Amino acid sequence: MLRKILNSDEFGKEEIKTILSSSTEEEFELLKNKATETLKKFSSDKVYLRGLVEFSNICECNCFYCGIRKSNKSVNRFTLDDDEVLEQAKWCSEKGFGSFVIQSGEVKNEKFISRIIRILKRIKEETKSESQPDGLGITLSVGEHQKETYKRLFEAGAHRYLLRIESSNRELFEKIHPPEQLFERRIQCLHDLKDVGFQVGTGVMIGIPGQTLDNLAKDILFFKKMDIDMLGMGPFIVHKETPFAEYYEENLKNLHDIFRLSLNMIAAARIVLKDVNIASTTALQAIHPNGREEGLLYGANVIMPLLTPASVRKDYLLYEGKPYLEAGAEECLDCLKSSIENLDRETGLFEYGDPKHFFNRKMH
Ligand code: SAH
């Protein structure tokens, strides 16, 4: 059944559900092979590194699942200095990471936006090199904003933007967000980002209480309909100081299955969407020591090593069990490169590694 579906090139909701239901070693092999073949044919099987800096954990939102939500009073709030961000960006540029990601809580005021703009301009200016004359590629993940603001961020030098839909099912979206955070607004932002010219990424959490395979299959169709360029998906992991705390035990018990489902979801996204970039996320690694490498085997082609300064890493806790929290627990770049090599994959250094989909959709 799975083999037949993978050989056809028609993927509707039922076919995607079959992919997501894969549960035997034989089926996992089929998924890995098809995902890798698709990656090679429509994208490139190089693995791109993006250094991720968590810029600030100050947040005006109250997402029910998120550890840095506004109402969590036990969080020690921080914002990095411009120079701290710059230092990490320069390190990335020297090491050959083609791109840099700035993520933060959502703050809408002008002071915050103009600071980000100032930082973007400095990064573009100060990371120019022979291999990257325009400086590092920059991805932003700083939440919902007005179209005008997105335009200013784009003009300041960011060229990719990640904004997860979290779930494309309206009911589920409403179950995990307070009423003032609107599903329509999130979708509008994705359209605005695309209009402004960004390479646009979205994604969902996998294993949200009440989420079904049907929901996840429709998420993939949603990504396709929205013509999305990049995807970041990962397991939902309960944070104890959120309204989802009551699901802690159940979530913990299910993490093994949620991990499995996340890999199937990555494979399904690769097989159906073909030429997008897919990140193998930190959350995958939070619940499995080789989580990110596994993600690569199932069709992911981007890894985002955490470069937030160690002193504030523990304050950017979206979920329990986030890796690299202890002082000195730095991501080892050589280890990462050799584990990529061990998978028979090449690390794409000194290049942006843009999603092919962005250029393919522009040609239509
Ligand atoms: N403020 C930015 C960045 C959000 S954090 C924005 O709104 O886009 C990045 C992602 O972390 C979120 O989109 C969400 O999918 C994920 N996340 C948050 N809490 C999580 C949890 N408990 N388990 C797993 N992923 C979580």
Side-chain angles (χ1 to χ4, degrees), residues 313-326:
R313 251 177 229 183
K314 60 180 183 325
D315 299 320
Y316 201 89
L317 260 204
L318 307 180
Y319 45 80
E320 309 287 337
K322 194 176 143 190
Y324 302 113
L325 288 188
E326 313 84 54

PDB file of all heavy atoms in Angstrom, residues 313-326:
ATOM      1  N   ARG A 313      20.514  31.339  27.901  1.00  0.00           N
ATOM      2  CA  ARG A 313      19.852  30.205  27.238  1.00  0.00           C
ATOM      3  C   ARG A 313      18.740  29.582  28.063  1.00  0.00           C
ATOM      4  O   ARG A 313      17.705  29.203  27.548  1.00  0.00           O
ATOM      5  CB  ARG A 313      20.870  29.120  26.947  1.00  0.00           C
ATOM      6  CG  ARG A 313      21.164  29.022  25.493  1.00  0.00           C
ATOM      7  CD  ARG A 313      22.205  28.006  25.259  1.00  0.00           C
ATOM      8  NE  ARG A 313      23.206  28.605  24.411  1.00  0.00           N
ATOM      9  CZ  ARG A 313      24.248  27.964  23.954  1.00  0.00           C
ATOM     10  NH1 ARG A 313      24.447  26.710  24.308  1.00  0.00           N
ATOM     11  NH2 ARG A 313      25.082  28.568  23.177  1.00  0.00           N
ATOM     12  N   LYS A 314      18.982  29.500  29.357  1.00  0.00           N
ATOM     13  CA  LYS A 314      17.992  28.865  30.235  1.00  0.00           C
ATOM     14  C   LYS A 314      16.741  29.734  30.381  1.00  0.00           C
ATOM     15  O   LYS A 314      15.717  29.273  30.887  1.00  0.00           O
ATOM     16  CB  LYS A 314      18.597  28.607  31.619  1.00  0.00           C
ATOM     17  CG  LYS A 314      19.056  29.877  32.279  1.00  0.00           C
ATOM     18  CD  LYS A 314      19.650  29.642  33.658  1.00  0.00           C
ATOM     19  CE  LYS A 314      20.027  30.972  34.327  1.00  0.00           C
ATOM     20  NZ  LYS A 314      20.521  32.044  33.429  1.00  0.00           N
ATOM     21  N   ASP A 315      16.819  30.991  29.955  1.00  0.00           N
ATOM     22  CA  ASP A 315      15.669  31.877  30.054  1.00  0.00           C
ATOM     23  C   ASP A 315      14.795  31.841  28.795  1.00  0.00           C
ATOM     24  O   ASP A 315      13.748  32.464  28.751  1.00  0.00           O
ATOM     25  CB  ASP A 315      16.126  33.323  30.321  1.00  0.00           C
ATOM     26  CG  ASP A 315      16.898  33.440  31.625  1.00  0.00           C
ATOM     27  OD1 ASP A 315      16.487  32.776  32.603  1.00  0.00           O
ATOM     28  OD2 ASP A 315      17.917  34.162  31.657  1.00  0.00           O
ATOM     29  N   TYR A 316      15.273  31.149  27.779  1.00  0.00           N
ATOM     30  CA  TYR A 316      14.465  31.025  26.562  1.00  0.00           C
ATOM     31  C   TYR A 316      13.944  29.590  26.477  1.00  0.00           C
ATOM     32  O   TYR A 316      14.256  28.844  25.573  1.00  0.00           O
ATOM     33  CB  TYR A 316      15.286  31.381  25.315  1.00  0.00           C
ATOM     34  CG  TYR A 316      14.443  31.768  24.118  1.00  0.00           C
ATOM     35  CD1 TYR A 316      14.059  33.088  23.900  1.00  0.00           C
ATOM     36  CD2 TYR A 316      13.997  30.801  23.216  1.00  0.00           C
ATOM     37  CE1 TYR A 316      13.274  33.437  22.806  1.00  0.00           C
ATOM     38  CE2 TYR A 316      13.217  31.143  22.124  1.00  0.00           C
ATOM     39  CZ  TYR A 316      12.860  32.463  21.917  1.00  0.00           C
ATOM     40  OH  TYR A 316      12.076  32.807  20.830  1.00  0.00           O
ATOM     41  N   LEU A 317      13.189  29.241  27.489  1.00  0.00           N
ATOM     42  CA  LEU A 317      12.683  27.867  27.579  1.00  0.00           C
ATOM     43  C   LEU A 317      11.259  27.806  27.079  1.00  0.00           C
ATOM     44  O   LEU A 317      10.321  28.112  27.804  1.00  0.00           O
ATOM     45  CB  LEU A 317      12.685  27.438  29.040  1.00  0.00           C
ATOM     46  CG  LEU A 317      13.806  26.560  29.567  1.00  0.00           C
ATOM     47  CD1 LEU A 317      13.337  25.801  30.787  1.00  0.00           C
ATOM     48  CD2 LEU A 317      14.307  25.583  28.506  1.00  0.00           C
ATOM     49  N   LEU A 318      11.105  27.378  25.819  1.00  0.00           N
ATOM     50  CA  LEU A 318       9.749  27.275  25.279  1.00  0.00           C
ATOM     51  C   LEU A 318       9.088  25.999  25.777  1.00  0.00           C
ATOM     52  O   LEU A 318       7.887  25.902  25.905  1.00  0.00           O
ATOM     53  CB  LEU A 318       9.790  27.255  23.754  1.00  0.00           C
ATOM     54  CG  LEU A 318      10.554  28.373  23.062  1.00  0.00           C
ATOM     55  CD1 LEU A 318      10.487  28.209  21.559  1.00  0.00           C
ATOM     56  CD2 LEU A 318       9.989  29.723  23.465  1.00  0.00           C
ATOM     57  N   TYR A 319       9.933  24.972  26.034  1.00  0.00           N
ATOM     58  CA  TYR A 319       9.429  23.660  26.446  1.00  0.00           C
ATOM     59  C   TYR A 319      10.461  23.014  27.349  1.00  0.00           C
ATOM     60  O   TYR A 319      11.616  23.470  27.434  1.00  0.00           O
ATOM     61  CB  TYR A 319       9.167  22.778  25.214  1.00  0.00           C
ATOM     62  CG  TYR A 319      10.277  22.829  24.196  1.00  0.00           C
ATOM     63  CD1 TYR A 319      11.448  22.081  24.367  1.00  0.00           C
ATOM     64  CD2 TYR A 319      10.183  23.650  23.076  1.00  0.00           C
ATOM     65  CE1 TYR A 319      12.476  22.141  23.452  1.00  0.00           C
ATOM     66  CE2 TYR A 319      11.220  23.726  22.147  1.00  0.00           C
ATOM     67  CZ  TYR A 319      12.356  22.976  22.340  1.00  0.00           C
ATOM     68  OH  TYR A 319      13.379  23.040  21.433  1.00  0.00           O
ATOM     69  N   GLU A 320      10.070  21.932  28.031  1.00  0.00           N
ATOM     70  CA  GLU A 320      10.988  21.241  28.947  1.00  0.00           C
ATOM     71  C   GLU A 320      12.042  20.480  28.139  1.00  0.00           C
ATOM     72  O   GLU A 320      11.799  20.052  27.018  1.00  0.00           O
ATOM     73  CB  GLU A 320      10.224  20.220  29.816  1.00  0.00           C
ATOM     74  CG  GLU A 320       8.994  20.765  30.530  1.00  0.00           C
ATOM     75  CD  GLU A 320       9.315  21.675  31.716  1.00  0.00           C
ATOM     76  OE1 GLU A 320      10.417  21.567  32.273  1.00  0.00           O
ATOM     77  OE2 GLU A 320       8.450  22.503  32.048  1.00  0.00           O
ATOM     78  N   GLY A 321      13.218  20.320  28.754  1.00  0.00           N
ATOM     79  CA  GLY A 321      14.220  19.417  28.159  1.00  0.00           C
ATOM     80  C   GLY A 321      14.990  20.001  26.995  1.00  0.00           C
ATOM     81  O   GLY A 321      15.566  19.271  26.190  1.00  0.00           O
ATOM     82  N   LYS A 322      14.996  21.318  26.870  1.00  0.00           N
ATOM     83  CA  LYS A 322      15.747  21.918  25.757  1.00  0.00           C
ATOM     84  C   LYS A 322      17.246  21.616  25.917  1.00  0.00           C
ATOM     85  O   LYS A 322      17.782  21.744  27.012  1.00  0.00           O
ATOM     86  CB  LYS A 322      15.505  23.422  25.766  1.00  0.00           C
ATOM     87  CG  LYS A 322      15.930  24.119  24.514  1.00  0.00           C
ATOM     88  CD  LYS A 322      15.542  25.590  24.595  1.00  0.00           C
ATOM     89  CE  LYS A 322      16.600  26.422  23.965  1.00  0.00           C
ATOM     90  NZ  LYS A 322      16.434  27.837  24.196  1.00  0.00           N
ATOM     91  N   PRO A 323      17.910  21.206  24.838  1.00  0.00           N
ATOM     92  CA  PRO A 323      19.326  20.833  24.954  1.00  0.00           C
ATOM     93  C   PRO A 323      20.263  22.038  25.110  1.00  0.00           C
ATOM     94  O   PRO A 323      19.853  23.171  24.871  1.00  0.00           O
ATOM     95  CB  PRO A 323      19.609  20.109  23.645  1.00  0.00           C
ATOM     96  CG  PRO A 323      18.547  20.510  22.696  1.00  0.00           C
ATOM     97  CD  PRO A 323      17.364  20.981  23.487  1.00  0.00           C
ATOM     98  N   TYR A 324      21.494  21.776  25.479  1.00  0.00           N
ATOM     99  CA  TYR A 324      22.574  22.757  25.599  1.00  0.00           C
ATOM    100  C   TYR A 324      22.296  23.872  26.611  1.00  0.00           C
ATOM    101  O   TYR A 324      22.585  25.029  26.375  1.00  0.00           O
ATOM    102  CB  TYR A 324      22.908  23.393  24.234  1.00  0.00           C
ATOM    103  CG  TYR A 324      23.294  22.384  23.209  1.00  0.00           C
ATOM    104  CD1 TYR A 324      22.489  22.136  22.111  1.00  0.00           C
ATOM    105  CD2 TYR A 324      24.453  21.635  23.377  1.00  0.00           C
ATOM    106  CE1 TYR A 324      22.837  21.170  21.180  1.00  0.00           C
ATOM    107  CE2 TYR A 324      24.811  20.679  22.447  1.00  0.00           C
ATOM    108  CZ  TYR A 324      24.000  20.444  21.361  1.00  0.00           C
ATOM    109  OH  TYR A 324      24.333  19.515  20.442  1.00  0.00           O
ATOM    110  N   LEU A 325      21.701  23.507  27.755  1.00  0.00           N
ATOM    111  CA  LEU A 325      21.420  24.548  28.737  1.00  0.00           C
ATOM    112  C   LEU A 325      22.567  24.771  29.707  1.00  0.00           C
ATOM    113  O   LEU A 325      22.777  25.867  30.199  1.00  0.00           O
ATOM    114  CB  LEU A 325      20.156  24.211  29.531  1.00  0.00           C
ATOM    115  CG  LEU A 325      18.852  24.339  28.738  1.00  0.00           C
ATOM    116  CD1 LEU A 325      17.672  24.177  29.669  1.00  0.00           C
ATOM    117  CD2 LEU A 325      18.776  25.678  28.026  1.00  0.00           C
ATOM    118  N   GLU A 326      23.319  23.721  30.018  1.00  0.00           N
ATOM    119  CA  GLU A 326      24.382  23.860  31.006  1.00  0.00           C
ATOM    120  C   GLU A 326      25.493  24.760  30.461  1.00  0.00           C
ATOM    121  O   GLU A 326      25.758  24.767  29.260  1.00  0.00           O
ATOM    122  CB  GLU A 326      25.012  22.502  31.381  1.00  0.00           C
ATOM    123  CG  GLU A 326      24.033  21.407  31.692  1.00  0.00           C
ATOM    124  CD  GLU A 326      23.569  20.727  30.424  1.00  0.00           C
ATOM    125  OE1 GLU A 326      24.431  20.286  29.648  1.00  0.00           O
ATOM    126  OE2 GLU A 326      22.345  20.645  30.212  1.00  0.00           O
TER     127      GLU A 326
END
